[in-house]
Amino acid sequence: MSRRGFTLTEMTVVIALLSLFAAAIVPNLASQQAGLARRAMYADIQKIVLTARDTAIESNRRVVLRYDDAERAL
């Protein structure tokens, strides 16, 4: 007589292992998202600086970039 299916013990072990894997992976995904956001911010700053440089060269005058801490904007 063969039974098909899983025992409660087998299911508990599988769920426990999946939980451990998820606990190990989730923090890595969060830090990866933070890293991607940081790289995007650096790329945006680089674009702003290059645009300011081009504007300064075209207009033959000095261009000043300032960071407004209240609005958190450049």
Side-chain angles (χ1 to χ4, degrees), residues 49-67:
V49 169
L50 289 175
T51 301
R53 177 181 174 264
D54 291 342
T55 302
I57 290 171
E58 289 173 1
S59 64
N60 198 24
R61 64 181 173 88
R62 195 169 133 185
V63 175
V64 178
L65 296 176
R66 292 195 180 121
Y67 179 73

Side-chain angles (χ1 to χ4, degrees), residues 1-5 7-9 12 18 21-22 24 35 39 44 48-49 52 60-62 65 68:
M1 181 169 149
S2 70
R3 290 188 181 179
R4 301 186 96 179
T7 65
L8 182 59
T9 305
T12 304
L18 289 175
F21 291 144
R39 277 187 236 125
D44 290 344
I48 292 169
V49 169
N60 198 24
R61 64 181 173 88
R62 195 169 133 185
L65 296 176
D68 186 3

